[in-house]
Amino acid sequence: MGEEGLKLLSFWSSPYACRARLALDLKGLRYDLQEEDLFNAKSALLLESNPVHKKIPVLIHNGKAICESMNIVEYVDEVWPDRGTGFLLPRDDAFARATARFWADFFLSLTAASFKAAISSGEEKERANDEMIQDMVALERFLESQGGVFFSGSNTSMGFVDIAASFLPWWIPTYTEIGRLRVPGPDTCPLLHRWIAAVKDSPEAKPAFPDQQELLDFTKVRFEDVKKRFAQ
Ligand SMILES: N[C@@H](CCC(=O)N[C@@H](CS)C(=O)NCC(=O)O)C(=O)O
């Protein structure tokens, strides 16, 4: 068990698990990592800790289970507000917190559009790809309004929205390569590209995220399975 009685039930290529790991790493918290076998045999601990969805990530803190990636991020921020790089959700500003939660939710739309664009074909693919591009341009505008390198508004520390968005630097290139997608380049989204480089470079993100090539190889096989299931 980690120093704070923390254990994370995880899966290496899950962007949701990576969010939880990034939050724990930003706080400088040590934790045990339990890698789950999601496809063959979920552990008894996972099934009893998240009986509703049976999904990772689950953070277990002194025997209590916290489910859902962004819920874990908020929990960690509430319990250890001043640890590591500091608070993740803006303090003393309800409007800034509401705005951060709005943009954190917004990534569901981008994730869904990019996944759909990557696995579909024809008109459906083009529509989903257009939606993904629009979402990325919307993010560029939000980032511009924040005034820093990160969505937190800071030039040095990531916050709640950066963690929510953290799948983007690893998964968008993966989906783009596999699905031959169109993505807005640095001319259209310069701040988003600067943000991607800064996240990939951050010492806290590196250990939390998969190797790009391993992720690509794994995702290729997974997408083939998904396509076969859709074709049946
Ligand atoms: N909304 C959840 C999504 C978690 C999720 O989809 N986890 C996947 C791995 S990427 C999972 O555990 N899948 C196992 C299953 O569906 O049986 C979160 O944010 O934590």
Side-chain angles (χ1 to χ4, degrees):
M1 202 51 72
E3 59 179 335
E4 311 283 353
L6 288 168
K7 179 182 257 195
L8 184 71
L9 309 186
S10 187
F11 184 68
W12 70 277
S13 77
S14 161
Y16 304 105
C18 290
R19 281 175 168 175
R21 292 190 62 181
L22 179 56
L24 290 162
D25 290 350
L26 286 168
K27 292 287 180 184
L29 294 163
R30 279 194 288 158
Y31 55 96
D32 280 356
L33 190 66
Q34 178 167 313
E35 189 70 8
E36 287 289 330
D37 181 353
L38 290 184
F39 300 102
N40 302 303
K42 291 174 182 170
S43 72
L45 185 58
L46 172 57
L47 299 178
E48 78 199 30
S49 307
N50 190 355
V52 177
H53 297 305
K54 303 177 181 64
K55 290 186 179 190
I56 57 92
V58 178
L59 180 68
I60 300 176
H61 182 207
N62 291 332
K64 286 183 270 183
I66 301 105
C67 304
E68 288 290 316
S69 56
M70 294 314 289
N71 199 30
I72 293 172
V73 177
E74 281 207 48
Y75 178 81
V76 163
D77 201 28
E78 276 188 35
V79 178
W80 296 277
D82 299 313
R83 284 280 300 246
T85 57
F87 53 89
L88 301 171
L89 265 173
R91 270 187 189 173
D92 306 324
D93 186 341
F95 176 72
R97 273 198 302 281
T99 305
R101 290 194 183 103
F102 169 85
W103 285 101
D105 269 0
F106 178 80
F107 289 99
L108 286 176
S109 158
L110 177 55
T111 324
S114 54
F115 180 74
K116 194 166 177 190
I119 61 159
S120 59
S121 56
E123 264 182 45
E124 195 183 13
K125 183 187 192 74
E126 293 313 310
R127 259 201 311 275
N129 201 162
D130 286 343
E131 208 179 299
M132 172 186 142
I133 292 170
Q134 276 166 25
D135 284 354
M136 289 175 80
V137 171
L139 284 176
E140 175 77 11
R141 297 285 159 267
F142 174 57
L143 194 48
E144 192 175 13
S145 74
Q146 291 295 88
V149 169
F150 293 108
F151 286 104
S152 60
S154 160
N155 285 329
T156 49
S157 345
M158 286 186 248
F160 192 73
V161 180
D162 298 286
I163 295 172
S166 61
F167 76 93
L168 214 148
W170 283 268
W171 276 265
I172 292 289
T174 303
Y175 288 5
T176 301
E177 181 161 341
I178 299 174
R180 305 202 182 290
L181 305 183
R182 293 170 278 119
V183 277
D187 45 338
T188 315
C189 293
L191 302 179
L192 200 53
H193 280 270
R194 184 178 68 175
W195 174 83
I196 289 172
V199 173
K200 284 203 123 169
D201 226 31
S202 107
E204 288 87 6
K206 273 187 185 142
F209 286 85
D211 173 77
Q212 189 75 67
Q213 186 61 47
E214 277 176 41
L215 180 65
L216 181 68
D217 295 343
F218 173 83
T219 311
K220 265 186 195 157
V221 175
R222 214 185 118 237
F223 277 13
E224 284 313 310
D225 287 348
V226 173
K227 280 187 202 163
K228 269 185 221 147
R229 259 187 281 138
F230 275 129
Q232 277 166 9

